[in-house]
Amino acid sequence: MNMVLFKNEMRRHLLAFLIWSVVLPFMSLMRMAEFPEFVRKYQSADQALGEFSSTEIDMFGLDGVDLTSITGYFGARVFSVVVLLGAFYVIMLAATILSKEEDYKTIEFLAVKPLSRTEITVSKIGVVVLYALLLNVALFFASWAMCAVFQQKGYSLKALVLMALGSFLVHLMFAAVGFLLSVFVTTARVIYPVTIGIVLGAYFVQMMANSNGKAKPLTWLSFFTYPNIGKASAGGQLIDIPHLVVALLVITAGFMLAVFRYRQKDITA
Amino acid sequence: MNNVIEIDSLSKMYGKARGVKQLSLSVKGGEIFGFIGPNGAGKSTTIRTILGFLKPTSGSARIFGFDTVTQSPEIHRKVGYLPADVNFYDSMTAQELLDFSARLHRVEAAERIKQLSARLDLDLSKKFRSLSTGNKKKVGIIQAMLHDPELLILDEPTSGLDPLAQRTFFHLLTEERDRGCTVFFSSHVLSEVQLLCNRVAIIRDGELVTVEDLKEPSVAQYRLVHVRFARPTVLPEIPGVKSVEGDGTEYRFMIQGDVNRLLRMLADNTVDDVRIEEPPLEEVFMNYYTGGTTATKEC
């Protein structure tokens, strides 16, 4: 890693990060602000779940979730939106931080400095990982503050931590895929729709796989299904071992393949 | 004098399309070496391959003894590169870009940046995106020189520069050469190649055509001839005559080597006017660009 490059990249991408780290908590706040009214309307968890069809319960993974607890409500109604939108930010950052250099031809400035290609890619991966982490830290503190303000029967800090970790894991998986993609696709007009398609595709695969027993194996293709938010929102196990292993493999392999491939390719800006 | 650049049978193919084929040349330390050729000849491919942007299909290149594929960072420490199109980070000011470049080179270059920007008349406070093409080029020039490199690789260095800036740039180049820096530059402006270079390589269709020492007699032996006959006259075949243009009475052509047969032919005919002069380098090298055909063209 080259710290000069790393710091410069952090500065260059700071504004986008700040915007997302304000907008996402703000959207969470809008939804969390509905919680007091929600619990006034529904006295019990079963009653609250009764508002959803069985298909919706399966699709959004609401089975067993106590919507009348603030962390359950957060997990069911806020978390999925936040992790989805955060995934858009992270995958686009990861997919463009390297590819934009070739698309805009600034790579000629960088590639002729005394930096190896490994230093260039690792420095940029560092920026992506750090911003994904900082985004989830911001979301965690925002969710903590919202739970403290809107809670009525107390809340589980452990549940909030687990959900933040789950979100970070999902974001890292998308980051690894996005970064690997950027080594092969360098034009903005292709990379933006592809990354949006990857995230949306994963989201719809999750819903489809959850709602159709025969399609259950497809959940392996959707990173959103890896953390079990139903259990985590109640302070239970965030992720089972097989899913954790696959997640770590995706993250490691994605980044390592990108670094390796970038060392071999022609820079054709 | 050691060779700074050694290119040995370098080939670069883009799939089936040729980039360069079996290119071999060397550049001595301390010289200003020109690299010219028509569009699409392979000049930029050669430069980008020796800088490590492209991986060669076969052959090799070394700069300061370092392999261009496996030891790029070591090479880049000693090299300053000016691309033909200067595309740097839009949102940064010229000052920020140059400071960033200096930090990546791990040099303290504040004074050097200030000196160079004063000589090139560049406002460092402006964002790169708001600079004109010429001023962007100036940022590129300073970026290439600020760390006192041992080798400058310049691709179309004067394109976009106004005449005053060009003159300043030429002074900077000769100062660099006097400091011991080697310069390798690719240009379409043959007058500046003639002005600055010790030697020049000509590339066409991906292959090296020739390397000429600009002080050597073979280059100096070219002459440009204008002749107007009193009567319509068919110009006979004379060894060394190339690129003939004429309307039957007035002719313009190049001759290389012995001029005695030409003089005897002129003496045998009635001539209204004749001029024999040293041609601009452009005329000499256009022969190489076009393959040196000797077709007669009606004006």
Side-chain angles (χ1 to χ4, degrees), chain B:
Chain B
M1 200 186 293
N2 287 337
N3 290 332
V4 165
I5 300 176
E6 287 174 332
I7 301 174
D8 181 18
S9 304
L10 188 75
S11 294
K12 175 61 186 174
M13 302 294 286
Y14 299 103
K16 288 185 182 163
R18 67 102 189 117
V20 290
K21 277 187 299 193
Q22 294 292 311
L23 184 70
S24 293
L25 63 84
S26 56
V27 178
K28 299 188 184 78
E31 70 174 338
I32 300 182
F33 190 93
F35 192 54
I36 63 176
N39 293 330
K43 302 188 298 298
S44 290
T45 298
T46 304
I47 287 174
R48 297 171 67 76
T49 306
I50 67 173
L51 283 172
F53 297 174
L54 306 176
K55 306 295 179 189
T57 307
S58 63
S60 66
R62 302 186 86 82
I63 297 180
F64 297 113
F66 295 112
D67 185 273
T68 58
V69 174
T70 57
Q71 296 173 294
S72 281
E74 286 84 352
I75 292 171
H76 296 160
R77 217 158 267 136
K78 300 179 180 227
V79 167
Y81 171 57
L82 174 64
D85 295 317
V86 179
N87 293 295
F88 294 166
Y89 302 106
D90 266 1
S91 57
M92 295 172 83
T93 64
Q95 182 76 65
E96 286 168 347
L97 275 165
L98 295 171
D99 287 343
F100 180 39
S101 185
R103 283 198 304 276
L104 286 171
H105 276 288
R106 297 194 188 107
V107 295
E108 181 44 64
E111 201 45 50
R112 180 91 169 119
I113 291 169
K114 209 166 135 183
Q115 260 174 20
L116 288 170
S117 61
R119 286 183 70 177
L120 287 165
D121 191 26
L122 175 68
D123 182 353
L124 294 174
S125 64
K126 288 194 172 171
K127 283 210 190 298
F128 189 77
R129 70 165 75 92
S130 68
L131 294 173
S132 64
T133 305
N135 281 326
K136 284 181 180 176
K137 200 76 173 196
K138 291 175 187 178
V139 176
I141 290 168
I142 299 173
Q143 170 271 151
M145 292 183 169
L146 60 80
H147 55 290
D148 293 330
E150 294 175 44
L151 167 66
L152 277 168
I153 298 180
L154 313 170
D155 197 351
E156 309 283 348
T158 58
S159 66
L161 292 180
D162 61 56
L164 193 59
Q166 283 183 27
R167 197 170 63 177
T168 307
F169 176 67
F170 294 151
H171 286 151
L172 287 172
L173 274 195
T174 48
E175 286 166 19
E176 289 298 299
R177 185 204 48 205
D178 294 343
R179 181 177 68 77
C181 180
T182 308
V183 179
F184 179 93
F185 87 89
S186 163
S187 178
H188 279 301
V189 183
L190 297 179
S191 58
E192 69 191 27
V193 171
Q194 187 167 16
L195 177 68
L196 294 168
C197 294
N198 304 107
R199 293 190 302 149
V200 61
I202 302 165
I203 183 171
R204 193 179 70 231
D205 294 331
E207 295 183 50
L208 186 70
V209 175
T210 185
V211 177
E212 298 282 354
D213 186 325
L214 293 182
K215 308 294 178 286
E216 276 290 304
S218 61
V219 174
Q221 271 177 1
Y222 276 94
R223 291 289 178 269
L224 180 63
V225 180
H226 300 259
V227 59
R228 190 172 69 244
F229 294 101
R231 285 178 290 280
T233 305
V234 172
L235 197 66
E237 292 275 341
I238 297 174
V241 167
K242 300 174 201 260
S243 304
V244 178
E245 295 170 12
D247 62 3
T249 305
E250 193 163 349
Y251 290 91
R252 181 184 183 278
F253 53 87
M254 298 266 283
I255 183 167
Q256 184 187 13
D258 183 17
V259 298
N260 283 290
R261 277 191 65 173
L262 171 68
L263 293 173
R264 280 195 288 273
M265 184 278 293
L266 292 174
D268 288 341
N269 289 275
T270 309
V271 172
D272 278 350
D273 187 23
V274 64
R275 279 199 324 276
I276 301 177
E277 57 195 1
E278 189 173 328
L281 199 65
E282 185 146 2
E283 294 269 357
V284 175
F285 287 137
M286 283 309 288
N287 271 307
Y288 290 109
Y289 274 32
T290 57
T293 52
T294 56
T296 302
K297 202 165 72 173
E298 293 290 337
C299 297

Side-chain angles (χ1 to χ4, degrees), chain A:
Chain A
M1 163 131 19
N2 182 284
M3 287 311 293
V4 173
L5 177 59
F6 176 81
K7 285 180 193 168
N8 196 65
E9 290 293 299
M10 288 293 290
R11 260 194 300 274
R12 284 183 59 223
H13 295 92
L14 179 62
L15 182 61
F17 164 75
L18 289 175
I19 291 169
W20 282 87
S21 63
V22 165
V23 167
L24 288 189
F26 183 74
M27 289 178 69
S28 305
L29 177 63
M30 295 293 105
R31 294 215 87 173
M32 287 298 283
E34 294 168 7
F35 177 72
E37 186 57 34
F38 186 86
V39 289
R40 259 196 293 279
K41 192 176 170 188
Y42 302 108
Q43 300 305 311
S44 73
D46 290 339
Q47 202 182 4
L49 265 184
E51 284 296 306
F52 300 91
S53 68
S54 58
T55 307
E56 284 172 323
I57 288 172
D58 287 336
M59 259 169 56
F60 296 112
L62 299 177
D63 191 27
V65 175
D66 180 6
L67 290 172
T68 59
S69 79
I70 195 162
T71 48
Y73 181 86
F74 177 81
R77 301 209 67 197
V78 178
F79 179 85
S80 60
V81 174
V82 159
V83 79
L84 171 67
L85 296 177
F88 281 125
Y89 162 68
V90 173
I91 198 172
M92 282 196 281
L93 173 65
T96 57
I97 196 169
L98 188 60
S99 64
K100 259 188 185 173
E101 299 268 13
E102 283 191 57
D103 199 19
Y104 295 178
K105 304 187 192 314
T106 53
I107 190 64
E108 289 193 333
F109 173 91
L110 208 52
V112 81
K113 298 295 178 285
L115 301 170
S116 66
R117 292 205 192 178
T118 302
E119 279 180 290
I120 292 173
T121 45
V122 169
S123 302
K124 287 177 181 281
I125 288 169
V127 172
V128 171
V129 169
L130 186 56
Y131 272 135
L133 175 66
L134 290 174
L135 178 70
N136 284 284
V137 166
L139 289 171
F140 165 74
F141 281 109
S143 64
W144 190 4
M146 283 181 250
C147 285
V149 167
F150 295 114
Q151 60 85 21
Q152 301 195 338
K153 292 183 288 185
Y155 63 92
S156 165
L157 185 61
K158 180 183 172 186
L160 293 177
V161 170
L162 286 173
M163 284 190 280
L165 283 172
S167 170
F168 181 51
L169 189 73
V170 169
H171 291 161
L172 277 187
M173 294 173 80
F174 280 112
V177 167
F179 198 82
L180 181 59
L181 181 70
S182 75
V183 174
F184 298 96
V185 180
T186 59
T187 49
R189 70 173 187 277
V190 174
I191 228 172
Y192 282 117
V194 168
T195 51
I196 290 169
I198 287 171
V199 173
L200 281 179
Y203 188 71
F204 288 119
V205 162
Q206 171 204 17
M207 290 202 298
M208 192 173 67
N210 279 342
S211 61
N212 184 342
K214 287 183 188 166
K216 261 295 188 250
L218 285 179
T219 56
W220 286 97
L221 293 178
S222 171
F223 302 154
F224 294 111
T225 63
Y226 280 54
N228 187 324
I229 297 308
K231 284 186 182 172
S233 66
Q237 188 183 14
L238 172 66
I239 186 169
D240 59 41
I241 301 296
H243 280 95
L244 180 62
V245 167
V246 172
L248 292 174
L249 269 173
V250 166
I251 294 166
T252 316
F255 286 131
M256 282 179 64
L257 274 171
V259 170
F260 176 75
R261 177 65 190 132
Y262 197 72
R263 276 166 43 182
Q264 314 296 322
K265 67 172 275 186
D266 284 345
I267 295 174
T268 54

